[in-house]
Amino acid sequence: MIRFYTDHYFSIGHAHFVGGKPCQDYAASGVFGDSAFAIVSDGCSTGGKTDVGARVIALSTAEAIRRHFALNAGKDAINEEALLKINLWQKAVISGARNMLGLEAKDMLATSFYACVTPEGGCINLQGDGVVAIKDLRGNIYMSRIEWSDNMPFYPAYAESGLEGFIAAHGGDLKALKVKKEYVRRIRDGDELEAGHKELSLKERVGGISMFIDPVKLEHIEFIALFSDGITQVDGMDWKDAVREFLAFKNITGEFAKRRMIRGIKDAQESGKGPIDDIAYAVIRIGREENSEEDGHDSC
């Protein structure tokens, strides 16, 4: 029997710390009945109060996912229809929260990366820049980095007022290749088994990139992790090495992700500045009944 465990953490980057700016990344995660979710949000540095906006985006997305789980008793697979419903709820909750808090549109310019899973499968939805990583039971990691061109990622807040302005800002050509998806699969000893990249059109990816996980694939997964793009800006580290480092859990009890990231940042600061940009991640751990006893003892 599958059981889900979650944890998350976020930290201010070197550039924002020395510049006296707030941390504009946020993360959230949780277990709801037999289901689980993980969310990261990264506020745009040139927007408004996007440190607040990132929190509103993440918490609104969490509420939309919880509402979906509640209506479906958390037992249905997360398919395309379910994803559409979640994103509609997300849009409604974000709009309501923004209006109640008196925030402007520019305050809400923040990404939304989320994953939600049930024993019947799950979905990962990526709205903006960042990295998703899946670690299997053998320790192999599949990583995928999403990067929008011209430093103009898609933000869920754009859906509130319509997409015409966003499309126009990207040149108005829906066929233009505006999204780069870089992927790599690393086997346990660190070697790359396969790697490559794809160029995706604006038409294909307005609204986000979705990845679905069926129950068969879920059986072979141990961790699903979502990172803000701060993971690609750790001083002196390739982003793939940084992902691997932050998924090298020695203890999987309690706040396992928080401990791992704190330790990873400390190690990175010993040889450089650590994360230059703010950084956040949220992790879903997939446990099995036969391994239900938490077996970690070493501190990270």
Side-chain angles (χ1 to χ4, degrees):
M1 178 181 177
I2 283 178
R3 293 186 63 185
F4 297 117
Y5 306 84
T6 67
D7 193 30
H8 59 272
Y9 190 65
F10 57 94
S11 179
I12 193 168
H14 177 79
H16 280 187
F17 179 74
V18 299
K21 296 180 180 180
C23 178
Q24 294 172 324
D25 282 15
Y26 192 72
S29 64
V31 175
F32 190 92
D34 294 330
S35 306
F37 64 87
I39 304 164
V40 295
S41 183
D42 176 8
C44 175
S45 295
T46 58
K49 301 172 184 176
T50 56
D51 55 320
V52 178
R55 285 152 175 77
V56 172
I57 294 288
L59 296 174
S60 296
T61 303
E63 177 62 16
I65 293 171
R66 280 192 292 262
R67 290 187 183 189
H68 176 79
F69 283 159
L71 290 172
N72 292 276
K75 295 181 179 180
D76 293 336
I78 308 297
N79 53 27
E80 291 188 13
E81 181 181 358
L83 177 65
L84 178 60
K85 292 179 180 178
I86 291 171
N87 284 347
L88 286 174
W89 272 114
Q90 179 196 50
K91 177 181 176 181
V93 179
I94 289 172
S95 179
R98 182 181 70 79
N99 289 327
M100 290 181 69
L101 293 172
L103 297 172
E104 299 180 52
K106 64 181 180 179
D107 299 327
M108 304 301 293
L109 298 181
T111 64
S112 172
F113 271 39
Y114 72 82
C116 46
V117 292
T118 77
E120 284 72 39
C123 177
I124 301 169
N125 187 247
L126 314 174
Q127 302 175 57
D129 293 333
V131 171
V132 56
I134 295 175
K135 188 173 185 178
D136 69 20
L137 293 168
R138 294 183 293 179
N140 304 325
I141 305 175
Y142 177 84
M143 317 174 207
S144 186
R145 176 183 178 182
I146 308 301
E147 185 176 15
W148 283 77
S149 65
D150 306 320
N151 197 28
M152 288 192 297
F154 176 82
Y155 297 123
Y158 291 141
E160 183 180 353
S161 57
L163 300 174
E164 293 81 6
F166 174 72
I167 294 171
H170 271 286
D173 182 5
L174 289 174
K175 295 181 180 179
L177 300 178
K178 291 293 183 177
V179 187
K180 180 180 179 181
K181 179 181 178 181
E182 183 180 358
Y183 60 90
V184 62
R185 188 185 303 276
R186 284 198 167 183
I187 57 177
R188 190 169 185 172
D189 62 7
D191 292 336
E192 293 185 2
L193 187 63
E194 61 176 302
H197 72 274
K198 298 178 180 178
E199 299 286 342
L200 307 172
S201 72
L202 189 63
K203 182 179 181 179
E204 290 177 292
R205 297 312 174 205
V206 166
I209 296 173
S210 299
M211 307 175 184
F212 294 93
I213 303 171
D214 63 38
V216 175
K217 291 181 180 178
L218 196 65
E219 286 289 341
H220 300 283
I221 295 173
E222 186 174 15
F223 297 101
I224 300 171
L226 307 175
F227 296 82
S228 69
D229 68 356
I231 193 66
T232 69
Q233 301 177 59
V234 180
D235 188 31
M237 292 185 73
D238 180 81
W239 71 272
K240 298 180 286 294
D241 293 330
V243 168
R244 187 181 179 209
E245 177 69 19
F246 288 166
L247 293 183
F249 303 113
K250 298 177 182 177
N251 184 331
I252 53 175
T253 64
E255 296 178 320
F256 63 95
K258 178 180 179 179
R259 290 193 302 269
R260 183 63 252 166
M261 180 169 276
I262 289 174
R263 184 68 212 187
I265 290 174
K266 183 178 179 181
D267 289 345
Q269 288 172 337
E270 290 179 357
S271 58
K273 297 177 181 178
I276 302 301
D277 194 9
D278 301 335
I279 188 170
Y281 81 150
V283 186
I284 299 172
R285 181 172 76 83
I286 302 167
R288 277 77 185 174
E289 190 173 72
E290 61 269 27
N291 297 321
S292 61
E293 292 186 8
E294 304 293 353
D295 54 3
H297 300 286
D298 297 331
S299 172
C300 290

mmCIF file of all heavy atoms in Angstrom, residues 103-127:
data_model
loop_
_atom_site.group_PDB
_atom_site.id
_atom_site.type_symbol
_atom_site.label_atom_id
_atom_site.label_comp_id
_atom_site.label_asym_id
_atom_site.label_seq_id
_atom_site.Cartn_x
_atom_site.Cartn_y
_atom_site.Cartn_z
ATOM 1 N N LEU A 103 -4.176 43.819 -3.501
ATOM 2 C CA LEU A 103 -2.936 43.721 -4.268
ATOM 3 C C LEU A 103 -3.170 44.116 -5.723
ATOM 4 O O LEU A 103 -4.272 43.960 -6.249
ATOM 5 C CB LEU A 103 -2.400 42.290 -4.203
ATOM 6 C CG LEU A 103 -2.003 41.789 -2.812
ATOM 7 C CD1 LEU A 103 -1.674 40.306 -2.869
ATOM 8 C CD2 LEU A 103 -0.826 42.582 -2.260
ATOM 9 N N GLU A 104 -2.119 44.597 -6.364
ATOM 10 C CA GLU A 104 -2.181 44.947 -7.777
ATOM 11 C C GLU A 104 -1.771 43.756 -8.636
ATOM 12 O O GLU A 104 -1.182 42.792 -8.145
ATOM 13 C CB GLU A 104 -1.254 46.130 -8.059
ATOM 14 C CG GLU A 104 -1.599 47.395 -7.306
ATOM 15 C CD GLU A 104 -0.647 48.511 -7.637
ATOM 16 O OE1 GLU A 104 -0.438 48.792 -8.842
ATOM 17 O OE2 GLU A 104 -0.086 49.115 -6.708
ATOM 18 N N ALA A 105 -2.063 43.839 -9.920
ATOM 19 C CA ALA A 105 -1.724 42.747 -10.830
ATOM 20 C C ALA A 105 -0.222 42.456 -10.821
ATOM 21 O O ALA A 105 0.204 41.303 -10.860
ATOM 22 C CB ALA A 105 -2.187 43.089 -12.250
ATOM 23 N N LYS A 106 0.612 43.519 -10.740
ATOM 24 C CA LYS A 106 2.054 43.318 -10.763
ATOM 25 C C LYS A 106 2.570 42.609 -9.512
ATOM 26 O O LYS A 106 3.665 42.034 -9.507
ATOM 27 C CB LYS A 106 2.776 44.651 -10.939
ATOM 28 C CG LYS A 106 2.587 45.627 -9.787
ATOM 29 C CD LYS A 106 3.329 46.937 -10.066
ATOM 30 C CE LYS A 106 3.153 47.921 -8.914
ATOM 31 N NZ LYS A 106 3.894 49.189 -9.176
ATOM 32 N N ASP A 107 1.797 42.651 -8.430
ATOM 33 C CA ASP A 107 2.199 41.950 -7.208
ATOM 34 C C ASP A 107 2.055 40.443 -7.337
ATOM 35 O O ASP A 107 2.646 39.691 -6.552
ATOM 36 C CB ASP A 107 1.336 42.410 -6.023
ATOM 37 C CG ASP A 107 1.474 43.896 -5.737
ATOM 38 O OD1 ASP A 107 2.574 44.440 -5.959
ATOM 39 O OD2 ASP A 107 0.489 44.511 -5.293
ATOM 40 N N MET A 108 1.276 40.007 -8.307
ATOM 41 C CA MET A 108 0.947 38.589 -8.448
ATOM 42 C C MET A 108 1.796 37.885 -9.503
ATOM 43 O O MET A 108 1.510 36.737 -9.871
ATOM 44 C CB MET A 108 -0.534 38.442 -8.808
ATOM 45 C CG MET A 108 -1.476 39.099 -7.825
ATOM 46 S SD MET A 108 -1.294 38.457 -6.152
ATOM 47 C CE MET A 108 -1.874 36.794 -6.383
ATOM 48 N N LEU A 109 2.838 38.557 -9.988
ATOM 49 C CA LEU A 109 3.684 37.953 -11.017
ATOM 50 C C LEU A 109 4.624 36.935 -10.373
ATOM 51 O O LEU A 109 5.756 37.239 -9.992
ATOM 52 C CB LEU A 109 4.456 39.032 -11.764
ATOM 53 C CG LEU A 109 3.595 40.047 -12.510
ATOM 54 C CD1 LEU A 109 4.475 41.062 -13.239
ATOM 55 C CD2 LEU A 109 2.644 39.362 -13.488
ATOM 56 N N ALA A 110 4.133 35.715 -10.247
ATOM 57 C CA ALA A 110 4.895 34.638 -9.618
ATOM 58 C C ALA A 110 4.555 33.324 -10.300
ATOM 59 O O ALA A 110 3.445 33.131 -10.801
ATOM 60 C CB ALA A 110 4.574 34.561 -8.120
ATOM 61 N N THR A 111 5.513 32.432 -10.325
ATOM 62 C CA THR A 111 5.323 31.132 -10.964
ATOM 63 C C THR A 111 4.485 30.206 -10.084
ATOM 64 O O THR A 111 4.267 30.473 -8.900
ATOM 65 C CB THR A 111 6.679 30.458 -11.237
ATOM 66 O OG1 THR A 111 7.323 30.182 -9.979
ATOM 67 C CG2 THR A 111 7.578 31.340 -12.078
ATOM 68 N N SER A 112 4.046 29.127 -10.665
ATOM 69 C CA SER A 112 3.334 28.084 -9.923
ATOM 70 C C SER A 112 3.744 26.720 -10.463
ATOM 71 O O SER A 112 3.390 26.359 -11.583
ATOM 72 C CB SER A 112 1.812 28.265 -10.057
ATOM 73 O OG SER A 112 1.129 27.156 -9.492
ATOM 74 N N PHE A 113 4.530 26.002 -9.681
ATOM 75 C CA PHE A 113 4.870 24.611 -9.973
ATOM 76 C C PHE A 113 4.156 23.771 -8.940
ATOM 77 O O PHE A 113 4.350 23.974 -7.736
ATOM 78 C CB PHE A 113 6.385 24.384 -9.843
ATOM 79 C CG PHE A 113 7.178 24.620 -11.092
ATOM 80 C CD1 PHE A 113 6.873 25.661 -11.954
ATOM 81 C CD2 PHE A 113 8.256 23.814 -11.403
ATOM 82 C CE1 PHE A 113 7.614 25.886 -13.098
ATOM 83 C CE2 PHE A 113 9.008 24.029 -12.544
ATOM 84 C CZ PHE A 113 8.687 25.063 -13.403
ATOM 85 N N TYR A 114 3.316 22.844 -9.381
ATOM 86 C CA TYR A 114 2.680 21.987 -8.378
ATOM 87 C C TYR A 114 2.572 20.550 -8.865
ATOM 88 O O TYR A 114 2.521 20.267 -10.057
ATOM 89 C CB TYR A 114 1.315 22.535 -7.966
ATOM 90 C CG TYR A 114 0.194 22.430 -8.973
ATOM 91 C CD1 TYR A 114 -0.526 21.244 -9.131
ATOM 92 C CD2 TYR A 114 -0.188 23.532 -9.736
ATOM 93 C CE1 TYR A 114 -1.577 21.155 -10.033
ATOM 94 C CE2 TYR A 114 -1.233 23.456 -10.638
ATOM 95 C CZ TYR A 114 -1.928 22.256 -10.781
ATOM 96 O OH TYR A 114 -2.978 22.173 -11.683
ATOM 97 N N ALA A 115 2.571 19.662 -7.886
ATOM 98 C CA ALA A 115 2.346 18.239 -8.132
ATOM 99 C C ALA A 115 1.266 17.772 -7.175
ATOM 100 O O ALA A 115 1.232 18.189 -6.010
ATOM 101 C CB ALA A 115 3.627 17.435 -7.895
ATOM 102 N N CYS A 116 0.364 16.948 -7.662
ATOM 103 C CA CYS A 116 -0.630 16.331 -6.787
ATOM 104 C C CYS A 116 -0.760 14.862 -7.180
ATOM 105 O O CYS A 116 -0.780 14.532 -8.371
ATOM 106 C CB CYS A 116 -1.971 17.049 -6.836
ATOM 107 S SG CYS A 116 -2.588 17.466 -8.471
ATOM 108 N N VAL A 117 -0.803 14.005 -6.186
ATOM 109 C CA VAL A 117 -0.806 12.565 -6.437
ATOM 110 C C VAL A 117 -1.821 11.862 -5.545
ATOM 111 O O VAL A 117 -2.103 12.290 -4.427
ATOM 112 C CB VAL A 117 0.587 11.946 -6.204
ATOM 113 C CG1 VAL A 117 1.581 12.428 -7.240
ATOM 114 C CG2 VAL A 117 1.100 12.247 -4.800
ATOM 115 N N THR A 118 -2.369 10.789 -6.090
ATOM 116 C CA THR A 118 -3.215 9.865 -5.358
ATOM 117 C C THR A 118 -2.664 8.460 -5.634
ATOM 118 O O THR A 118 -1.806 8.295 -6.505
ATOM 119 C CB THR A 118 -4.684 9.941 -5.831
ATOM 120 O OG1 THR A 118 -4.795 9.242 -7.091
ATOM 121 C CG2 THR A 118 -5.140 11.377 -6.011
ATOM 122 N N PRO A 119 -3.129 7.448 -4.928
ATOM 123 C CA PRO A 119 -2.662 6.092 -5.237
ATOM 124 C C PRO A 119 -2.954 5.661 -6.675
ATOM 125 O O PRO A 119 -2.329 4.736 -7.193
ATOM 126 C CB PRO A 119 -3.438 5.228 -4.238
ATOM 127 C CG PRO A 119 -3.703 6.128 -3.082
ATOM 128 C CD PRO A 119 -3.972 7.479 -3.709
ATOM 129 N N GLU A 120 -3.882 6.357 -7.341
ATOM 130 C CA GLU A 120 -4.241 6.033 -8.726
ATOM 131 C C GLU A 120 -3.432 6.818 -9.755
ATOM 132 O O GLU A 120 -3.665 6.714 -10.963
ATOM 133 C CB GLU A 120 -5.732 6.289 -8.957
ATOM 134 C CG GLU A 120 -6.645 5.234 -8.361
ATOM 135 C CD GLU A 120 -6.700 5.314 -6.847
ATOM 136 O OE1 GLU A 120 -6.708 6.444 -6.306
ATOM 137 O OE2 GLU A 120 -6.713 4.263 -6.193
ATOM 138 N N GLY A 121 -2.479 7.613 -9.298
ATOM 139 C CA GLY A 121 -1.664 8.386 -10.231
ATOM 140 C C GLY A 121 -1.621 9.850 -9.853
ATOM 141 O O GLY A 121 -2.133 10.265 -8.811
ATOM 142 N N GLY A 122 -0.995 10.641 -10.708
ATOM 143 C CA GLY A 122 -0.868 12.052 -10.372
ATOM 144 C C GLY A 122 -0.521 12.911 -11.558
ATOM 145 O O GLY A 122 -0.472 12.457 -12.699
ATOM 146 N N CYS A 123 -0.268 14.192 -11.266
ATOM 147 C CA CYS A 123 0.034 15.168 -12.309
ATOM 148 C C CYS A 123 0.991 16.213 -11.760
ATOM 149 O O CYS A 123 0.947 16.559 -10.574
ATOM 150 C CB CYS A 123 -1.251 15.844 -12.778
ATOM 151 S SG CYS A 123 -0.974 17.142 -14.011
ATOM 152 N N ILE A 124 1.847 16.701 -12.644
ATOM 153 C CA ILE A 124 2.733 17.818 -12.342
ATOM 154 C C ILE A 124 2.399 18.924 -13.333
ATOM 155 O O ILE A 124 2.357 18.689 -14.533
ATOM 156 C CB ILE A 124 4.212 17.410 -12.477
ATOM 157 C CG1 ILE A 124 4.531 16.253 -11.518
ATOM 158 C CG2 ILE A 124 5.122 18.598 -12.208
ATOM 159 C CD1 ILE A 124 5.874 15.610 -11.770
ATOM 160 N N ASN A 125 2.136 20.123 -12.833
ATOM 161 C CA ASN A 125 1.786 21.261 -13.684
ATOM 162 C C ASN A 125 2.786 22.377 -13.444
ATOM 163 O O ASN A 125 2.990 22.807 -12.303
ATOM 164 C CB ASN A 125 0.367 21.739 -13.382
ATOM 165 C CG ASN A 125 -0.104 22.802 -14.358
ATOM 166 O OD1 ASN A 125 -0.301 23.953 -13.988
ATOM 167 N ND2 ASN A 125 -0.297 22.437 -15.614
ATOM 168 N N LEU A 126 3.418 22.837 -14.527
ATOM 169 C CA LEU A 126 4.515 23.788 -14.423
ATOM 170 C C LEU A 126 4.151 25.083 -15.129
ATOM 171 O O LEU A 126 4.078 25.132 -16.359
ATOM 172 C CB LEU A 126 5.782 23.186 -15.042
ATOM 173 C CG LEU A 126 6.105 21.737 -14.632
ATOM 174 C CD1 LEU A 126 7.283 21.202 -15.424
ATOM 175 C CD2 LEU A 126 6.383 21.649 -13.138
ATOM 176 N N GLN A 127 3.904 26.118 -14.369
ATOM 177 C CA GLN A 127 3.558 27.426 -14.897
ATOM 178 C C GLN A 127 4.698 28.393 -14.572
ATOM 179 O O GLN A 127 4.720 28.999 -13.514
ATOM 180 C CB GLN A 127 2.239 27.916 -14.298
ATOM 181 C CG GLN A 127 1.064 26.970 -14.563
ATOM 182 C CD GLN A 127 -0.208 27.416 -13.868
ATOM 183 O OE1 GLN A 127 -0.682 28.534 -14.064
ATOM 184 N NE2 GLN A 127 -0.776 26.544 -13.061
#
